[in-house]
């Protein structure tokens, strides 16, 4: 007879659900709202607990598990335009994690699941937590969006607070720079094309000092965004939070605009790069 501790059962599944939902959102390029993801993870963890309560065994079959998974995604990403993509990736990531758990169970003697298919181990919680985190990073790395340069051009309107500028942007499927806070895409724009609309303290050639001057001015508009490029292992770009970014007439909200001190085009007649917008 297995003794199940409800608090441990809830905690383990809360962490696993959160990492799976977070990984699915990142892989899909969806906007990450952390409290919603936490709420979705908590709903899934509550379901895992309910399955083991007397009289609620009918929640264990796969149709109920499928419905619970869909509900978790809806709580976390309902209204997101990439909802279907997030849902597919969530179930794919869940299957990957389940396979990893099964593999560890076959290799070792420590049970990591209960008979109703939920994560639980009364022996070593650190082992399961370490595996969750490792699977999250492996899945994120494996499914990281890659691609080649696209050829579609778009009209961009950027309001940086000092006025608005109109640019031509290239839809670049290889451009995966995102805001680490909410996972929304970052626009990369040539400094010469936007400087007339930028604050006076902004200088992309000295991003650290620019952030300091921004704070001295009582503003939180400036940030540093890490990036990698050919010949640059790890660099920093000065990024400004735009009041509004409009792509082909469609408002995208207050995206980050990273300022490139050098031109971003290769003679293609554009002044900015956009990714998953």
């Amino acid at each position: 007879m297995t003794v199940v501790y409800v608090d441990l059962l809830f905690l383990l599944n809360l962490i696993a659900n959160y990492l799976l939902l977070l990984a699915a959102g990142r892989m899909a390029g969806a906007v990450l709202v952390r409290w919603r993801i936490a709420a979705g993870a908590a709903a899934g963890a509550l379901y895992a607990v309910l399955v083991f309560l007397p009289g609620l065994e009918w929640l264990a079959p796969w149709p109920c598990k499928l419905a619970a998974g869909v509900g978790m995604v809806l709580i976390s990403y309902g209204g997101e335009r990439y909802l279907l993509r997030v849902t597919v990736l969530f179930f794919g990531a869940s299957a990957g994690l389940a396979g990893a758990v099964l593999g560890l169970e076959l290799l070792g003697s420590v049970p990591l699941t209960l008979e109703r298919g939920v994560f639980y181990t009364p022996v070593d919680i650190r082992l399961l937590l370490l595996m969750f985190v490792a699977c999250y990073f492996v899945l994120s790395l494996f499914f990281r969006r890659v691609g080649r340069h696209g050829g579609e051009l778009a009209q961009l309107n950027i309001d940086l607070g000092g006025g608005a500028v109109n640019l031509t942007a290239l839809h670049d499927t290889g451009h995966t720079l995102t805001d680490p806070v909410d996972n929304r895409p970052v626009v990369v724009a040539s400094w010469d094309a936007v400087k007339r609309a930028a604050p006076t303290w902004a200088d992309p050639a000295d991003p650290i000092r620019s952030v300091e001057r921004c704070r001295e001015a009582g503003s939180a508009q400036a940030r540093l965004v890490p990036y990698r490029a050919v010949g640059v292992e790890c660099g920093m770009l000065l990024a400004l939070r735009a009041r509004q970014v409009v792509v082909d007439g469609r408002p995208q909200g207050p995206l980050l605009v990273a300022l490139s001190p050098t031109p971003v085009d290769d003679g293609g007649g554009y002044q900015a790069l956009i990714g998953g917008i």
Side-chain angles (χ1 to χ4, degrees), residues 10-252:
F10 182 87
L11 175 62
L12 288 175
N13 284 272
L14 175 67
I15 295 172
N17 294 338
Y18 183 86
L19 292 177
L20 288 171
L21 288 166
L22 183 63
R26 285 196 179 279
M27 289 185 281
V31 176
L32 304 179
V33 182
R34 304 295 177 132
W35 69 266
R36 290 187 60 184
I37 297 174
L46 179 60
Y47 165 79
V49 172
L50 292 177
V51 166
F52 285 90
L53 294 182
L56 295 179
E57 297 85 359
W58 57 271
L59 290 173
W62 70 264
C64 294
K65 293 180 180 178
L66 180 64
V70 172
M72 291 164 57
V73 176
L74 287 175
I75 292 172
S76 302
Y77 297 102
E80 166 65 42
R81 65 172 176 164
Y82 296 127
L83 179 61
L84 179 60
R85 188 187 304 177
V86 174
T87 304
V88 172
L89 288 170
F90 171 71
F91 282 106
S94 300
L97 179 59
V101 170
L102 178 60
L104 284 178
E105 286 184 331
L106 293 176
L107 289 174
S109 59
V110 179
L112 300 177
T113 59
L114 294 170
E115 65 272 11
R116 295 177 189 174
V118 298
F119 297 117
Y120 184 80
T121 173
V123 179
D124 192 351
I125 185 174
R126 293 171 298 178
L127 174 63
L128 201 57
L129 292 178
L130 181 61
M131 186 193 62
F132 289 161
V133 175
C135 284
Y136 166 76
F137 284 109
V138 170
L139 288 168
S140 296
L141 180 64
F142 183 76
F143 288 106
R144 181 169 294 173
R145 292 164 292 164
V146 296
R148 299 177 179 177
H149 287 302
E152 182 182 353
L153 297 179
Q155 296 305 308
L156 211 62
N157 180 275
I158 301 175
D159 183 356
L160 291 175
V165 292
N166 294 308
L167 310 175
T168 299
L170 173 71
H171 275 288
D172 182 3
T173 55
H175 168 49
T176 59
L177 193 63
T178 57
D179 186 339
V181 175
D182 59 12
N183 202 42
R184 300 204 67 192
V186 174
V187 177
V188 178
S190 297
W191 171 241
D192 287 341
V194 300
K195 62 183 179 181
R196 65 181 179 85
T200 56
W201 43 258
D203 180 6
D206 191 358
I208 296 177
R209 178 55 184 156
S210 295
V211 172
E212 293 174 348
R213 294 175 63 190
C214 173
R215 293 175 179 173
E216 291 170 358
S219 173
Q221 185 182 10
R223 289 183 51 186
L224 296 177
V225 174
Y227 77 99
R228 289 183 179 181
V230 177
V232 180
E233 179 63 24
C234 184
M236 288 288 180
L237 287 175
L238 173 64
L240 304 181
R241 179 71 66 181
R243 289 184 177 178
Q244 181 66 267
V245 174
V246 180
V247 180
D248 285 338
R250 301 188 308 272
Q252 302 296 321

